[in-house]
Amino acid sequence: MRLCGRTSAPHYTAPVPTQLKAGDRVVAQVGRLLSEVDRLAEDLTEEILGGEHAYAESTLLGRDRLRAAVRDNLATLFTALQGRPTTLDAPRAAGRMKAEQGIPLAALLHAYRLAGRFIWDRLLSGAVDEESTAQLLHMASDIWVAVDEYSSAADDAYRAAVEERSRRDAAARGTMLTTLLDGRAGTSASAWEIARVLELDRQGPFLVVCAEVHDRTEPPTAVRARLRAAGIASEWIEHIGAWVGLLSLPNDQAIAGAVEQLSAIDLSRVGVSRAFTSPVDAPAAWRQAQLAVQCLPYGTHGTHLYGSAPVSLLAAASPDTAQEVARAVLGPVLALPPRERDTLLGTLHAWFTAGGSTTQAADRMHCHRNTVLYRLNRVTELTGRPTTDARSSAELYIALEAVRLTGKPQTFGVPPS
């Protein structure tokens, strides 16, 4: 007999209630109560409504429905107390109904405690002689265990119903967000209505976020909670190995805070769209967020705001063309043995990052300034594009970004000096 243990509600199948070994006097008493179950159900309904505000204040659960549930549970409990086999259908149905009507779980369990005391009081008042009283006292523990078993079944059914409703609600919210993102919302009015239902209809701007998923990624519920704590509302769906979120900000000043919050979460590569003011623009923003992800090298971590690196955006928007440019400009360098190739590419990257300063690039590379100059001259020799020429330098930078974003090769660290 299970007293207080809980099994995962959606998969839990409650056991058949334990049959009690009742004395003949108790069986007779219970039989009389069972014959008066309609009147007793009315009395217990009054006690529940008077003792539990959640039932009294519920506008969905009418008095007749509550009385019918009380009657079914009383009849089942009386049958069990007679020592006859019963099922847990009545408490399960009660648990599901209370969940559907929004009655708190604590109120449901309190109602079963009231029912247990109600039954015990009626049995005790009906014990007219010493033998009846003795039999009843001998069964006292088993009677309360039976009440607990039925309340546990109601508890499990309640939790299962809540979880199922949560899954349905989450699926419905996901469908609505998908409708916004893929443009099926149609009119601006429809888009705003979806945003209202998703509780994203604030006065501030929106952002669309695309985040790659990996093994350590926090679940959307945790990300949503983090953002909510920062005053940012959001809704998320999973889409082909990534999470896509629609963020609603309280004001324009919150954009930087949103990017900061996303950067603090372990989400691999994260792309953030430009801010927009109407949910009807969500499809274009989703495309922006996807491109923003591609502006970060594969296998890295970070948060990238769409449009903050125009050259990277060009390479991300047309990866095939970017690779053609890389081969056309840096082909001879890419054909070198890996060690030499990575050394030259790493030096070129450090030089661009340093704004064309060979001294700063040397500091970054942990080598002498003349070594940087030698490697740059080697790049010029191989490509025919001197870094001192503005046009050639621009071509080298674009090609280098194309190589960096395609991940071939991936190593742009500090090569050996």
Side-chain angles (χ1 to χ4, degrees), residues 41 59 64 109 124 149 158 166 198 201 219 232 254 293 322 337 340 349 366 381 416:
T59 58
D64 290 342
L109 299 180
L124 197 59
E149 189 173 48
Y158 183 101
S166 297
L198 294 176
D201 55 336
I232 301 167
V293 170
E340 185 178 1
H349 177 67
H366 307 293
E381 177 187 333

Side-chain angles (χ1 to χ4, degrees), residues 149-162:
E149 189 173 48
Y150 281 73
S151 67
S152 293
D155 182 351
D156 287 331
Y158 183 101
R159 294 175 189 272
V162 169

Side-chain angles (χ1 to χ4, degrees), residues 7 59-60 67 104 111 113 166 170 173 229 259 346 391 409:
T7 308
T59 58
L60 296 176
R67 183 174 58 246
R113 288 193 294 272
S166 297
R173 294 175 72 87
V259 174
R391 179 173 179 175

